[in-house]
Amino acid sequence: MPFPVESLIEGRTFPITIAMQEPVTWALDLMVEHDFSQLPVVAEDRRPLGMITYEGILQGVRNFHANLDDLHVRDVMSGARVFNLEDDLFDLLEELKRTYAVLIGDANGFLAGIVTSYDSTEFFRGRSEDLMLVEDIEVTIKEFIHLAYMRDDQTLDQARLDKAIA
């Protein structure tokens, strides 16, 4: 497989997580402090259990008619798809069409990372910038080569160029 999910989280720090028994206010504090719209919810052994999101918190407040101080993460968390490090990146991208983020688990089932739509965009942006730079270099080199084989009348001496290439 040419593109494993692992390539999306290489070099990144371990994600900030929260436990399901924590108060929602603590989750909101972490989300605001780090400018996240969601947090992975993990068990004590760091196995992924789901996700807490702003939307889930708002739905919980509305559905339970409760104050934020009365809610815990377990009350408003939702399930989250967990991909393995070796899974195909393109399967993950399909899932990101339907959701904002997915969790990444290692071979032992422990949380290894989180990938958002933003993360995948940045990953491919970096790859495409590299390819665009290579293309720009190739075009520039081609232009210089053509300049070196121009006749006085500013037409390309294709026979001389072909001979040089051969």
Side-chain angles (χ1 to χ4, degrees):
M1 156 182 6
F3 294 107
V5 167
E6 183 176 22
S7 59
L8 279 173
I9 64 169
E10 283 179 334
R12 292 179 37 197
T13 60
F14 190 79
I16 295 168
T17 63
I18 193 155
M20 61 188 290
Q21 68 273 10
E22 296 292 339
V24 165
T25 52
W26 175 241
L28 279 172
D29 287 345
L30 287 172
M31 292 163 77
V32 168
E33 178 183 343
H34 298 283
D35 194 27
F36 295 155
S37 58
Q38 68 278 316
L39 286 174
V41 179
V42 295
E44 287 182 27
D45 65 359
R46 302 200 71 79
R47 292 187 189 275
L49 300 173
M51 194 93 69
I52 184 169
T53 65
Y54 283 126
E55 288 175 344
I57 294 168
L58 289 173
Q59 288 175 351
V61 168
R62 188 186 73 215
N63 293 341
F64 294 126
H65 303 288
N67 292 321
L68 282 177
D69 293 330
D70 299 330
L71 293 173
H72 290 83
V73 170
R74 70 178 163 268
D75 301 323
V76 297
M77 66 182 259
S78 59
R81 176 94 186 262
V82 180
F83 283 84
N84 293 318
L85 293 169
E86 308 82 33
D87 286 343
D88 188 345
L89 173 63
F90 295 105
D91 292 337
L92 181 144
L93 294 175
E94 279 299 315
E95 183 67 20
L96 283 178
K97 287 180 182 179
R98 294 181 284 282
T99 186
Y100 298 114
V102 296
L103 302 177
I104 311 301
D106 66 14
N108 298 315
F110 299 110
L111 184 69
I114 181 173
V115 174
T116 64
S117 298
Y118 176 83
D119 298 327
S120 65
T121 300
E122 285 300 303
F123 174 78
F124 285 108
R125 178 181 175 211
R127 288 192 174 260
S128 63
E129 283 177 345
D130 292 345
L131 291 173
M132 291 167 66
L133 180 59
V134 167
E135 181 184 15
D136 190 37
I137 292 168
E138 288 176 345
V139 167
T140 302
I141 290 171
K142 184 177 178 181
E143 288 173 357
F144 284 142
I145 291 170
H146 283 183
L147 284 172
Y149 290 93
M150 284 289 182
R151 295 185 187 108
D152 292 336
D153 64 358
Q154 300 302 309
T155 59
L156 182 63
D157 187 342
Q158 190 66 48
R160 223 177 66 177
L161 176 59
D162 290 345
K163 183 178 176 184
I165 290 172

